[in-house]
Amino acid sequence: MKKSGFPFILLSVIPLAICCVAAAHAQNYPKAKEFRIERSLAPQAIACLECHKQQNPGLFADWSHSRHASAGITCLDCHQAEEHDPDVSVEHYTQYQRTDSPYGTQEYKIPVSAVVTPKDCSRCHPDEVTQYSRSKHANTMEIMWKIDPWLNNGMNSDIERKTGCYHCHGTVLKTKDGKLDPMTWPNVGVGRVNMDGSLGSCTSCHTRHRFSVMEARKPEACGQCHLGPDHPQIEIYMESKHGDIYTAFGDEYNWNSAPGTWTPGVDFRGPTCASCHMSGAGTVLTSHDVTERLSWETQAPLTVRPSDFAAFPAKTDWEVERGKMKEICLQCHGNAWVEDFYVNFDQAVENYNEIYFKPAKAMLDSLYEKGLLDKSRFFDEDLEVEYYELWHHEGRRARMGVMMMAPDYAWWHGFYECKKRFNTFMKEAEHLLATGEKAHRYEDYPGATGVTTKPEEIFGNK
Ligand code: HEC
Ligand code: HEC
Ligand code: HEC
Ligand code: HEC
Ligand code: HEC
Ligand code: HEC
Ligand code: HEC
Ligand code: HEC
């Protein structure tokens, strides 16, 4: 539609433009574009803006402060759907039968979906989406269903999964009676399985409708998921010198430098999660695949190389990836400092694998073999829980505390706790071996009602 048809509408959009530019300057956006209407917006797009400005002022304000708004990317660019899309909002059609809004009429009608997937973003950001799609973030639902006993043995309930596991990992989106099924929505987990077949939700780190790089560069963007007894990365980071520096100097960092130009020493003096794992530096390019730059798989029971992780072998060479991480460190540190750090890291991994994990695993296997422990379900016998916490809680904390420079996690929450856990586990196991007594089974394990069928959206009908 031509501008001449909607002069009053454009006028009402322009004041927003001015407020955007002012806000942008106030917040020191170096590369923010001036808000100009560089193309005539479709009338349907103007209808979204005008109606939702009234309907959801908070949502609208977020969008209007985003770089998308400066570039003239509107609601329609992301939310437009096809009528036959399974996730199209049937209810939304009724918005175009309203008498109380000038935009609530048939001429503006267009199918929309609340779901906006990486595939939708890929129209304009193909590289980020391709990198993301190979990461363990995107593929976590497949990984979980291959290896996790909570799911495969049905040891927790559907609501425990939806509000816990899947909140971080993602749901398999479904509709029910023409609407998104509340057992799968709302959700922005990293590996959400979308109805168009794409994986993930870009809002895990760039919350809508700002979609800002600034937010994703801050450690808090990762901390919602990377915390707690089993992977306390945010706590580890805050304990490390890098975290101390962030606390002391973070408000002087230039968080908003243009994508791909965020430079150690220029824009910030201590690294965040994003600087080490995602942002580019030196000759290392920015990547949305967080599996890059890793040389060990320390979340696994036995630490292995990422390419040897059976459930989802990375297509990377650990030495090349370690080289990339080192190049990040070398932006701020000398060679010996970095090399010696890795010598310690490798020794700690070996210490965990050989001294704690392998003997405990051998003991567990022999109890199963002798029938003293029952293999049909996991977590319903105390020794299984002890073994699980040894690798999944304290064993991870020990390795992760070392690799991200947090001594309290490496030792007090880590190896110290491993020793305690190892001793109790071995004592109970030896007792069973000596007496031939079978371990107590919690027959009425609480809440063990979750489905155990692997999702066919990922695994097919097998
Ligand atoms: C005449 C007003 C009006 C117009 C025009 C309009 N919307 Fe809406 N829209 C609404 C209202 C009201 C709701 C909330 C309905 C509710 O609360 O369930 C809504 C809900 C939505 C939702 C959430 C749907 C869901 O199923 O959760 C999305 C996404 C959306 N609108 C996008 C758009 C886009 C994109 C456009 C332009 C193509 C648009 N809207 C045009 C009024 C409007
Ligand atoms: C750059 C793409 C993009 C643009 C532009 C955009 N959205 Fe969204 N919107 C999203 C994403 C992503 C989500 C999260 C949905 C998901 O997780 O799949 C979302 C969610 C929503 C939701 C449902 C969630 C909620 O909090 O209720 C509504 C409603 C919505 N958008 C309306 C709008 C409106 C109105 C505009 C224009 C002012 C707009 N969007 C512009 C990408 C976009
Ligand atoms: C129609 C094209 C288009 C679509 C679709 C789109 N974007 Fe963008 N996006 C852009 C443009 C253009 C810019 C650059 C704006 C600038 O440099 O001022 C941008 C910038 C960004 C930025 C950088 C913001 C910053 O603070 O510098 C992020 C993050 C982003 N987009 C995420 C997304 C996500 C996530 C989606 C899908 C939900 C998406 N975009 C969909 C065109 C699009
Ligand atoms: C607070 C967010 C959160 C919750 C809740 C959560 N996880 Fe995780 N999970 C993570 C993160 C983050 C990692 C990655 C840890 C790492 O790499 O250090 C992870 C790792 C895993 C892994 C290991 C994957 C691999 O590559 O080895 C599995 C399996 C898993 N989670 C399953 C589950 C299940 C099942 C539940 C619920 C019973 C659950 N998670 C609850 C965030 C969460
Ligand atoms: C795990 C967190 C995370 C997720 C999930 C994520 N991003 Fe990002 N994204 C970042 C970080 C961190 C940066 C900043 C990189 C830098 O310093 O320039 C960024 C930057 C960007 C930029 C700016 C250009 C660039 O590459 O630096 C775009 C565009 C973008 N992301 C799009 C997306 C899209 C599309 C998705 C979904 C496929 C997505 N992001 C998912 C963390 C994330
Ligand atoms: C919404 C939850 C969520 C957010 C936010 C999140 N992650 Fe993750 N992350 C996960 C989960 C879940 C996994 C485990 C995936 C698996 O192995 O199955 C994971 C795994 C990882 C891994 C391990 C990859 C591997 O190959 O072992 C790294 C590194 C990582 N995340 C870094 C980050 C960084 C950096 C950020 C912030 C910029 C971030 N994540 C934000 C949930 C999240
Ligand atoms: C100083 C750089 C640095 C910072 C800052 C940093 N990390 Fe790491 N991270 C590392 C190194 C080094 C490793 C081990 C890499 C390897 O395997 O060789 C690692 C490993 C990881 C892993 C992999 C665990 C696995 O599956 O093996 C996750 C997840 C992770 N970091 C998340 C985070 C999060 C979240 C933050 C911020 C709260 C963060 N990191 C901050 C350097 C950093
Ligand atoms: C943006 C700059 C920057 C990057 C990138 C960076 N560091 Fe640091 N790091 C620092 C600063 C500054 C200190 C504080 C030095 C001091 O104690 O005076 C520090 C401290 C450390 C310490 C000492 C911790 C302590 O508690 O004494 C270690 C070890 C370390 N870094 C290792 C690494 C490794 C390994 C990498 C890469 C994975 C890395 N750093 C990346 C800036 C950086």
Side-chain angles (χ1 to χ4, degrees):
M1 187 56 67
K2 291 285 157 280
K3 282 180 191 168
S4 57
F6 289 85
F8 67 100
I9 294 162
L10 287 178
L11 280 175
S12 70
V13 176
I14 288 161
L16 148 76
I18 294 161
C19 97
C20 280
V21 173
H25 281 304
Q27 291 174 33
N28 191 24
Y29 286 76
K31 283 259 170 91
K33 285 186 184 146
E34 283 194 6
F35 187 94
R36 270 177 284 128
I37 295 173
E38 296 184 37
R39 52 186 179 147
S40 50
L41 298 182
Q44 290 93 341
I46 291 166
C48 322
L49 292 170
E50 290 296 331
C51 193
H52 276 277
K53 188 157 95 182
Q54 307 294 329
Q55 199 65 40
N56 318 105
L59 188 160
F60 179 82
D62 254 357
W63 171 79
S64 67
H65 288 100
S66 72
R67 285 195 178 161
H68 285 137
S70 320
I73 313 292
T74 70
C75 326
L76 195 58
D77 289 304
C78 293
H79 287 283
Q80 182 166 9
E82 301 287 342
E83 262 168 69
H84 52 77
D85 282 351
D87 55 7
V88 73
S89 173
V90 178
E91 247 189 348
H92 199 267
Y93 290 131
T94 61
Q95 296 306 326
Y96 300 103
Q97 298 163 3
R98 288 170 56 167
T99 47
D100 60 337
S101 160
Y103 303 98
T105 55
Q106 290 295 314
E107 58 190 301
Y108 301 111
K109 186 172 159 185
I110 215 154
V112 303
S113 169
V115 184
V116 180
T117 72
K119 196 172 170 195
D120 298 317
C121 314
S122 73
R123 236 170 12 108
C124 306
H125 304 298
D127 294 347
E128 287 79 7
V129 173
T130 307
Q131 291 155 1
Y132 191 75
S133 70
R134 353 176 243 267
S135 71
K136 277 176 87 179
H137 273 155
N139 294 282
T140 187
M141 292 300 278
E142 177 184 337
I143 297 171
M144 279 168 93
W145 276 100
K146 279 189 178 155
I147 62 178
D148 194 89
W150 291 110
L151 304 181
N152 289 304
N153 292 343
M155 301 306 277
N156 53 3
S157 66
D158 290 340
I159 190 67
E160 287 166 359
R161 292 177 185 178
K162 165 67 171 44
T163 53
C165 320
Y166 298 159
H167 199 113
C168 301
H169 287 263
T171 51
V172 179
L173 272 188
K174 289 193 170 67
T175 48
K176 204 175 169 183
D177 309 325
K179 291 187 201 163
L180 291 163
D181 177 354
M183 283 313 282
T184 68
W185 178 266
N187 185 271
V188 299
V190 282
R192 195 180 70 191
V193 180
N194 301 303
M195 297 178 98
D196 60 12
S198 64
L199 299 173
S201 160
C202 304
T203 47
S204 310
C205 299
H206 305 284
T207 56
R208 63 181 177 273
H209 282 87
R210 280 288 186 110
F211 296 107
S212 105
V213 282
M214 175 266 270
E215 178 182 22
R217 285 168 176 162
K218 293 198 171 173
E220 289 81 3
C222 320
Q224 181 198 14
C225 304
H226 287 272
L227 81 174
D230 54 341
H231 33 67
Q233 279 99 10
I234 187 80
E235 295 93 331
I236 286 173
Y237 174 73
M238 293 312 287
E239 192 208 334
S240 76
K241 272 277 186 289
H242 298 134
D244 297 350
I245 294 171
Y246 162 72
T247 307
F249 293 88
D251 47 9
E252 293 171 13
Y253 291 7
N254 179 20
W255 297 103
N256 253 316
S257 80
T261 68
W262 199 43
T263 310
V266 178
D267 296 317
F268 58 93
R269 71 169 287 246
T272 66
C273 322
S275 341
C276 288
H277 290 285
M278 298 185 70
S279 305
T283 62
V284 181
L285 300 176
T286 303
S287 177
H288 272 68
D289 176 2
V290 287
T291 306
E292 283 184 33
R293 307 182 193 175
L294 303 183
S295 60
W296 285 116
E297 194 40 80
T298 60
Q299 52 180 311
L302 177 73
T303 325
V304 293
R305 298 299 177 189
S307 52
D308 297 333
F309 178 66
F312 194 76
K315 292 185 184 65
T316 56
D317 172 337
W318 70 268
E319 284 172 291
V320 173
E321 301 308 327
R322 181 175 284 197
K324 291 186 196 163
M325 184 70 93
K326 282 184 182 169
E327 191 175 337
I328 306 286
C329 317
L330 291 171
Q331 305 298 313
C332 306
H333 293 293
N335 207 41
W337 185 265
V338 176
E339 292 298 330
D340 292 356
F341 160 80
Y342 273 101
V343 171
N344 291 169
F345 177 26
D346 290 347
Q347 285 171 348
V349 163
E350 160 127 352
N351 189 55
Y352 160 81
N353 275 357
E354 302 300 326
I355 308 292
Y356 300 93
F357 181 73
K358 284 184 182 170
K361 172 81 165 70
M363 178 59 96
L364 186 83
D365 289 344
S366 88
L367 294 173
Y368 281 136
E369 210 174 285
K370 296 194 165 66
L372 299 172
L373 272 185
D374 174 75
K375 221 177 176 162
S376 59
R377 296 202 300 184
F378 204 80
F379 299 120
D380 61 349
E381 290 160 308
D382 286 336
L383 274 172
E384 290 174 333
V385 178
E386 300 273 345
Y387 166 80
Y388 180 72
E389 295 201 352
L390 175 66
W391 73 263
H392 192 264
H393 286 43
E394 14 321 328
R396 278 193 184 164
R397 293 195 299 254
R399 287 171 282 172
M400 293 174 180
V402 173
M403 77 202 187
M404 291 193 256
M405 307 102 199
D408 196 49
Y409 280 86
W411 170 248
W412 291 118
H413 297 294
F415 284 121
Y416 167 78
E417 293 284 347
C418 285
K419 289 184 195 295
K420 271 176 47 181
R421 180 78 65 188
F422 186 88
N423 287 340
T424 357
F425 173 84
M426 286 299 185
K427 183 177 141 209
E428 288 168 39
E430 277 154 15
H431 174 77
L432 296 187
L433 285 175
T435 59
E437 202 180 296
K438 286 191 180 180
H440 174 74
R441 285 181 66 192
Y442 299 98
E443 298 289 350
D444 297 323
Y445 195 85
T449 53
V451 293
T452 54
T453 337
K454 294 189 186 346
E456 67 173 34
E457 290 79 355
I458 308 172
F459 293 93
N461 272 322
K462 283 164 269 151

